[in-house]
């Protein structure tokens, strides 16, 4: 997968896995990562799917309707890539925190839905429920921050709550931060995520 890796100043910190929204690339969330922890290593990844010339992490059938078969395939692709990247760059595979926005948050959520040890934690900005009708792995103690919009036209509040509840049933420790700026990722939202990150256990 096309990506960038930047080694951090503090090897004891988690590696931040940056996952962009539709039409973004591996550099999109670098400023966000800098606000969350400017001493961590960074792995920015570009989605392998193209939709009307825009990069995505998995296919969709229509707005808000995922191609589940492709989602499962692409989730495993990303999971395997993380193993490979950890070997190549020498970071701790068990100490990775995803930072995803929109489509990137959805693939990060899918990692949590499908693999017990995929992520140490996750910061999900405006995610949707990746799949329904499946049993989640044991996520006991996994910290998850969700940034959501009370008026998000793509990720409705009900969807955010459903996602949080499903993660909590699997044992994750979820915090939701609400704003009222639609689907937009705001500085104040990132600042709340950064505060959550400093308090994360």
């Amino acid at each position: 997968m096309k990506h960038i890796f930047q080694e951090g100043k503090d090897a004891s910190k988690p590696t931040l896995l940056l996952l962009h929204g539709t039409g973004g690339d591996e550099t999109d969330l670098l400023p966000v990562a800098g606000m969350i922890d400017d001493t961590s290593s960074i792995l920015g990844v570009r989605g392998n799917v193209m939709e009307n010339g825009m990069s995505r992490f998995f296919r969709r059938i229509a707005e808000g309707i995922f191609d589940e078969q492709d989602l499962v395939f692409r989730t495993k692709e990303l999971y395997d890539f993380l193993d490979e990247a950890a070997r190549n760059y020498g970071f701790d595979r068990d100490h990775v925190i995803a930072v995803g926005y929109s489509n990137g948050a959805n693939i990060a959520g899918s990692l949590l839905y499908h693999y017990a040890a995929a992520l140490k934690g996750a910061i999900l900005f405006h995610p949707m429920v990746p799949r329904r009708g499946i049993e989640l792995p044991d996520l006991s103690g996994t910290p998850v921050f969700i940034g959501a919009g009370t008026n998000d036209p793509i990720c409705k509040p009900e969807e955010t709550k459903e996602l949080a509840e499903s993660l909590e049933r699997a044992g994750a420790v979820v915090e939701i931060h609400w704003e009222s700026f639609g689907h937009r990722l705001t500085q104040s939202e990132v600042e709340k995520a950064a505060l959550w990150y400093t308090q994360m256990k």
Side-chain angles (χ1 to χ4, degrees):
M1 301 184 76
K2 190 169 177 59
H3 66 280
I4 57 166
F5 180 78
Q6 296 179 359
E7 187 171 356
K9 301 171 188 172
D10 187 344
S12 70
K13 295 289 190 71
T15 295
L16 300 181
L17 169 65
L18 308 184
L19 302 167
H20 62 80
T22 299
D25 64 27
E26 63 276 16
T27 67
D28 269 22
L29 296 181
L30 288 176
V32 171
M35 289 177 65
I36 292 170
D37 189 344
D38 61 4
T39 66
S40 281
S41 295
I42 292 168
L43 178 65
V45 182
R46 183 185 299 187
N48 272 347
V49 171
M50 294 297 289
E51 181 184 278
N52 299 322
M54 298 183 294
S55 297
R56 283 178 54 85
F57 286 99
F58 58 89
R59 294 188 183 95
R60 58 185 170 183
I61 298 167
E63 181 73 57
I65 303 174
F66 303 158
D67 181 332
E68 285 200 16
Q69 184 176 353
D70 191 61
L71 173 62
V72 171
F73 174 79
R74 299 296 176 181
T75 301
K76 184 179 188 305
E77 177 182 58
L78 179 57
Y79 181 84
D80 292 343
F81 172 75
L82 291 174
D83 290 345
E84 177 188 334
R87 289 192 298 270
N88 290 343
Y89 296 114
F91 62 81
D92 185 350
R93 175 63 185 87
D94 296 324
H95 208 198
V96 174
I97 293 178
V99 180
Y101 167 60
S102 193
N103 181 240
N106 293 338
I107 194 77
S110 186
L111 283 171
L112 293 171
Y113 265 51
H114 292 97
Y115 298 99
L119 299 169
K120 177 87 170 180
I123 296 173
L124 309 177
F125 295 116
H126 302 267
M128 297 177 68
V129 176
R131 291 187 73 194
R132 292 179 171 89
I134 66 168
E135 183 176 348
L136 273 62
D138 182 6
L139 298 174
S140 295
T142 303
V144 179
F145 175 93
I146 298 177
T150 58
N151 58 345
D152 190 329
I154 298 173
C155 306
K156 305 286 188 184
E158 297 77 17
E159 179 121 6
T160 299
K161 292 171 185 173
E162 181 186 345
L163 174 63
E165 288 167 3
S166 69
L167 291 170
E168 287 172 342
R169 283 195 299 271
V173 181
V174 181
E175 179 175 322
I176 305 176
H177 170 69
W178 295 97
E179 294 201 347
S180 299
F181 297 100
H183 197 62
R184 189 158 58 90
L185 176 56
T186 66
Q187 181 171 329
S188 56
E189 192 175 348
V190 176
E191 288 170 350
K192 287 292 185 182
L195 178 62
W196 171 88
Y197 173 88
T198 63
Q199 299 170 343
M200 185 185 63
K201 295 179 182 179

PDB file of all heavy atoms in Angstrom, residues 109-121:
ATOM      1  N   GLY A 109     -12.507   1.252  12.055  1.00  0.00           N
ATOM      2  CA  GLY A 109     -13.561   0.561  12.781  1.00  0.00           C
ATOM      3  C   GLY A 109     -13.680  -0.892  12.351  1.00  0.00           C
ATOM      4  O   GLY A 109     -13.904  -1.783  13.175  1.00  0.00           O
ATOM      5  N   SER A 110     -13.497  -1.134  11.068  1.00  0.00           N
ATOM      6  CA  SER A 110     -13.563  -2.499  10.554  1.00  0.00           C
ATOM      7  C   SER A 110     -12.421  -3.355  11.098  1.00  0.00           C
ATOM      8  O   SER A 110     -12.608  -4.549  11.368  1.00  0.00           O
ATOM      9  CB  SER A 110     -13.537  -2.486   9.020  1.00  0.00           C
ATOM     10  OG  SER A 110     -13.741  -3.779   8.502  1.00  0.00           O
ATOM     11  N   LEU A 111     -11.253  -2.769  11.288  1.00  0.00           N
ATOM     12  CA  LEU A 111     -10.151  -3.500  11.934  1.00  0.00           C
ATOM     13  C   LEU A 111     -10.578  -3.953  13.329  1.00  0.00           C
ATOM     14  O   LEU A 111     -10.328  -5.097  13.730  1.00  0.00           O
ATOM     15  CB  LEU A 111      -8.899  -2.621  12.036  1.00  0.00           C
ATOM     16  CG  LEU A 111      -8.064  -2.431  10.776  1.00  0.00           C
ATOM     17  CD1 LEU A 111      -6.995  -1.358  11.001  1.00  0.00           C
ATOM     18  CD2 LEU A 111      -7.391  -3.744  10.351  1.00  0.00           C
ATOM     19  N   LEU A 112     -11.222  -3.056  14.077  1.00  0.00           N
ATOM     20  CA  LEU A 112     -11.692  -3.414  15.412  1.00  0.00           C
ATOM     21  C   LEU A 112     -12.777  -4.493  15.350  1.00  0.00           C
ATOM     22  O   LEU A 112     -12.812  -5.404  16.190  1.00  0.00           O
ATOM     23  CB  LEU A 112     -12.247  -2.177  16.116  1.00  0.00           C
ATOM     24  CG  LEU A 112     -11.247  -1.071  16.473  1.00  0.00           C
ATOM     25  CD1 LEU A 112     -11.979   0.170  16.951  1.00  0.00           C
ATOM     26  CD2 LEU A 112     -10.247  -1.546  17.528  1.00  0.00           C
ATOM     27  N   TYR A 113     -13.638  -4.407  14.365  1.00  0.00           N
ATOM     28  CA  TYR A 113     -14.744  -5.359  14.232  1.00  0.00           C
ATOM     29  C   TYR A 113     -14.278  -6.763  13.862  1.00  0.00           C
ATOM     30  O   TYR A 113     -14.974  -7.732  14.146  1.00  0.00           O
ATOM     31  CB  TYR A 113     -15.728  -4.862  13.168  1.00  0.00           C
ATOM     32  CG  TYR A 113     -16.898  -4.082  13.702  1.00  0.00           C
ATOM     33  CD1 TYR A 113     -16.711  -3.003  14.573  1.00  0.00           C
ATOM     34  CD2 TYR A 113     -18.202  -4.398  13.333  1.00  0.00           C
ATOM     35  CE1 TYR A 113     -17.785  -2.276  15.050  1.00  0.00           C
ATOM     36  CE2 TYR A 113     -19.289  -3.670  13.811  1.00  0.00           C
ATOM     37  CZ  TYR A 113     -19.075  -2.619  14.668  1.00  0.00           C
ATOM     38  OH  TYR A 113     -20.151  -1.914  15.138  1.00  0.00           O
ATOM     39  N   HIS A 114     -13.108  -6.860  13.219  1.00  0.00           N
ATOM     40  CA  HIS A 114     -12.678  -8.155  12.680  1.00  0.00           C
ATOM     41  C   HIS A 114     -11.469  -8.776  13.362  1.00  0.00           C
ATOM     42  O   HIS A 114     -11.267  -9.993  13.245  1.00  0.00           O
ATOM     43  CB  HIS A 114     -12.383  -8.021  11.177  1.00  0.00           C
ATOM     44  CG  HIS A 114     -13.599  -7.770  10.345  1.00  0.00           C
ATOM     45  ND1 HIS A 114     -13.985  -6.513   9.949  1.00  0.00           N
ATOM     46  CD2 HIS A 114     -14.534  -8.620   9.853  1.00  0.00           C
ATOM     47  CE1 HIS A 114     -15.100  -6.606   9.234  1.00  0.00           C
ATOM     48  NE2 HIS A 114     -15.448  -7.866   9.162  1.00  0.00           N
ATOM     49  N   TYR A 115     -10.655  -7.969  14.063  1.00  0.00           N
ATOM     50  CA  TYR A 115      -9.409  -8.498  14.630  1.00  0.00           C
ATOM     51  C   TYR A 115      -9.221  -7.994  16.063  1.00  0.00           C
ATOM     52  O   TYR A 115      -9.192  -6.778  16.303  1.00  0.00           O
ATOM     53  CB  TYR A 115      -8.208  -8.071  13.784  1.00  0.00           C
ATOM     54  CG  TYR A 115      -8.254  -8.582  12.366  1.00  0.00           C
ATOM     55  CD1 TYR A 115      -8.684  -7.758  11.332  1.00  0.00           C
ATOM     56  CD2 TYR A 115      -7.887  -9.892  12.058  1.00  0.00           C
ATOM     57  CE1 TYR A 115      -8.734  -8.225  10.024  1.00  0.00           C
ATOM     58  CE2 TYR A 115      -7.943 -10.365  10.752  1.00  0.00           C
ATOM     59  CZ  TYR A 115      -8.367  -9.525   9.742  1.00  0.00           C
ATOM     60  OH  TYR A 115      -8.431  -9.989   8.455  1.00  0.00           O
ATOM     61  N   ALA A 116      -9.054  -8.936  16.984  1.00  0.00           N
ATOM     62  CA  ALA A 116      -8.962  -8.581  18.402  1.00  0.00           C
ATOM     63  C   ALA A 116      -7.740  -7.720  18.706  1.00  0.00           C
ATOM     64  O   ALA A 116      -7.805  -6.809  19.526  1.00  0.00           O
ATOM     65  CB  ALA A 116      -8.935  -9.848  19.248  1.00  0.00           C
ATOM     66  N   ALA A 117      -6.626  -8.016  18.076  1.00  0.00           N
ATOM     67  CA  ALA A 117      -5.382  -7.331  18.420  1.00  0.00           C
ATOM     68  C   ALA A 117      -4.895  -6.414  17.305  1.00  0.00           C
ATOM     69  O   ALA A 117      -3.710  -6.132  17.199  1.00  0.00           O
ATOM     70  CB  ALA A 117      -4.297  -8.361  18.746  1.00  0.00           C
ATOM     71  N   ALA A 118      -5.813  -5.930  16.480  1.00  0.00           N
ATOM     72  CA  ALA A 118      -5.393  -5.092  15.348  1.00  0.00           C
ATOM     73  C   ALA A 118      -4.848  -3.754  15.801  1.00  0.00           C
ATOM     74  O   ALA A 118      -3.876  -3.244  15.232  1.00  0.00           O
ATOM     75  CB  ALA A 118      -6.563  -4.876  14.398  1.00  0.00           C
ATOM     76  N   LEU A 119      -5.469  -3.167  16.832  1.00  0.00           N
ATOM     77  CA  LEU A 119      -5.119  -1.812  17.259  1.00  0.00           C
ATOM     78  C   LEU A 119      -5.054  -1.733  18.774  1.00  0.00           C
ATOM     79  O   LEU A 119      -5.835  -2.369  19.477  1.00  0.00           O
ATOM     80  CB  LEU A 119      -6.168  -0.813  16.752  1.00  0.00           C
ATOM     81  CG  LEU A 119      -6.342  -0.694  15.239  1.00  0.00           C
ATOM     82  CD1 LEU A 119      -7.596   0.125  14.921  1.00  0.00           C
ATOM     83  CD2 LEU A 119      -5.108  -0.061  14.600  1.00  0.00           C
ATOM     84  N   LYS A 120      -4.125  -0.914  19.259  1.00  0.00           N
ATOM     85  CA  LYS A 120      -4.051  -0.626  20.697  1.00  0.00           C
ATOM     86  C   LYS A 120      -5.198   0.299  21.103  1.00  0.00           C
ATOM     87  O   LYS A 120      -5.684   0.266  22.236  1.00  0.00           O
ATOM     88  CB  LYS A 120      -2.710   0.055  20.980  1.00  0.00           C
ATOM     89  CG  LYS A 120      -2.493   0.489  22.403  1.00  0.00           C
ATOM     90  CD  LYS A 120      -1.918  -0.615  23.236  1.00  0.00           C
ATOM     91  CE  LYS A 120      -1.482  -0.092  24.598  1.00  0.00           C
ATOM     92  NZ  LYS A 120      -0.912  -1.153  25.419  1.00  0.00           N
ATOM     93  N   GLY A 121      -5.628   1.133  20.160  1.00  0.00           N
ATOM     94  CA  GLY A 121      -6.723   2.066  20.383  1.00  0.00           C
ATOM     95  C   GLY A 121      -7.057   2.741  19.073  1.00  0.00           C
ATOM     96  O   GLY A 121      -6.404   2.508  18.048  1.00  0.00           O
TER      97      GLY A 121
END
